[in-house]
Amino acid sequence: MKATVMYSAGDVRVEDVPDPVIQQPTDALVRITTSCICGSDLWPYGSMPAGNPARMGHEFLGVVTDVGSDVSGLQAGDHVVAPFAYSDGTCAFCREGLHTSCVHGGFWDEPGQQGGQAEAIRVPLADGTLAKLPETDAALAPSLLTLSDVFGTGYHAAVRGGVAPGRTVAVVGDGAVGLLAVLSATLLGAEQIILMGRHKDRTDLGREFGATDVVAERGEEGVAKVRELTRGEGAHVVLEAVGARPAYDQSYGVVRPGGTISRVGVPQYEEAPVGFASLFGGNVTLTGGPAPTRAYIDTLLPKVLDGSIEPGKVFDRTVGLDGVPDGYRAMADREALKVLVRP
């Protein structure tokens, strides 16, 4: 079969690889029908050293083709969505809704795992990982695919941040996760949603998803603008959807005393201010982390199926598997927001 392999920064190839096989009795094999390129894939695309090629992709929809002897909740022919982390669904952390901390689980982009930008994949811990979907119109596939990562991640940011009716929310970043954090804040009843982004085509979609204000300025100018929009007080909740250090700095610049910063952008730094001038002095809470998207699928799926929301609008380009390398380039060059892949 064909699969996407990243060899080093900027070097993405689609190659023939061995077909997946059942290795453990808890495995399932899935024929992938829809996948995509994630904004987080751009971090290794820009910096990955040579020497350890990696299979790419952690978001996919598909059809089960085979299951191991211990799999009881799935069978061949089932339509499924896979979260970006696999998990058993039964450990203490999974039972608490924190599937990304599963004691037996892991992430698709770890060494030795297969990737979702491919024609098929072996899914470990299939009963706990895969969520069954009804057979639906193909037009719903882009929105269903967002349940794998970006919609669940935006929703996680909003939930961890405590978004609620009457709250003012600032969203830092106009990528797919940031835009779906806007949609999530809308669903949770935020009164004012300020989207901090400078790409008009993206912020226009943010307004469609519920943003009440857009701030294109960055740094101190951006902080001042948000303060102006919030009567000098700042936002109750800041959803940081980038992962770069300037986004963190902007976040503590716009949060109000007693507020919360919720980070879901994969952080590209280890050290950042948490002292009196940044978080401590204002009694600011810092939260967030890898989103346990499996925990949110049951909540978000009905809204996608009934058409009341369309998170799949974040996809603005579609390619076949052979078009994946150019899809990476297009996203890195900001020619595309998020690229859908149909193997």
Side-chain angles (χ1 to χ4, degrees), residues 213-256:
D213 304 277
V214 170
V215 172
E217 294 85 353
R218 291 184 170 186
E220 293 182 3
E221 290 184 359
V223 170
K225 184 66 175 179
V226 172
R227 293 282 174 180
E228 178 185 332
L229 289 168
T230 57
R231 303 168 301 282
E233 297 173 356
H236 294 95
V237 183
V238 181
L239 309 180
E240 193 274 278
V242 180
R245 172 62 190 277
Y248 176 85
D249 294 342
Q250 194 155 271
S251 296
Y252 72 71
V254 301
V255 70
R256 67 185 281 153

Side-chain angles (χ1 to χ4, degrees), residues 272-289:
V274 296
F276 200 97
S278 54
L279 304 187
F280 184 84
N283 285 281
V284 173
T285 297
L286 180 64
T287 187

Side-chain angles (χ1 to χ4, degrees), residues 183-219:
L183 179 59
S184 299
T186 300
L187 292 175
L188 292 172
E191 180 175 308
Q192 182 181 21
I193 303 172
I194 303 167
L195 173 58
M196 304 190 76
R198 58 176 182 168
H199 303 91
K200 188 176 185 303
D201 55 338
R202 300 181 182 192
T203 57
D204 284 349
L205 181 56
R207 288 189 182 277
E208 184 177 338
F209 283 161
T212 56
D213 304 277
V214 170
V215 172
E217 294 85 353
R218 291 184 170 186

Side-chain angles (χ1 to χ4, degrees), residues 128-147:
T129 300
L130 297 172
K132 285 200 288 189
L133 299 172
E135 291 191 45
T136 55
D137 190 293
L140 277 180
S143 288
L144 292 170
L145 183 58
T146 65
L147 300 175

Side-chain angles (χ1 to χ4, degrees), residues 292-338:
T293 57
R294 184 64 183 84
Y296 300 123
I297 289 175
D298 290 345
T299 297
L300 300 176
L301 178 59
K303 297 177 174 60
V304 172
L305 292 176
D306 68 17
S308 59
I309 56 175
E310 195 174 346
K313 287 185 176 183
V314 296
F315 292 104
D316 57 353
R317 183 174 299 195
T318 300
V319 300
L321 201 55
D322 289 339
V324 167
D326 191 60
Y328 272 84
R329 181 206 57 77
M331 286 180 61
D333 292 346
R334 299 296 188 267
E335 293 177 7
L337 168 58
K338 190 166 177 66

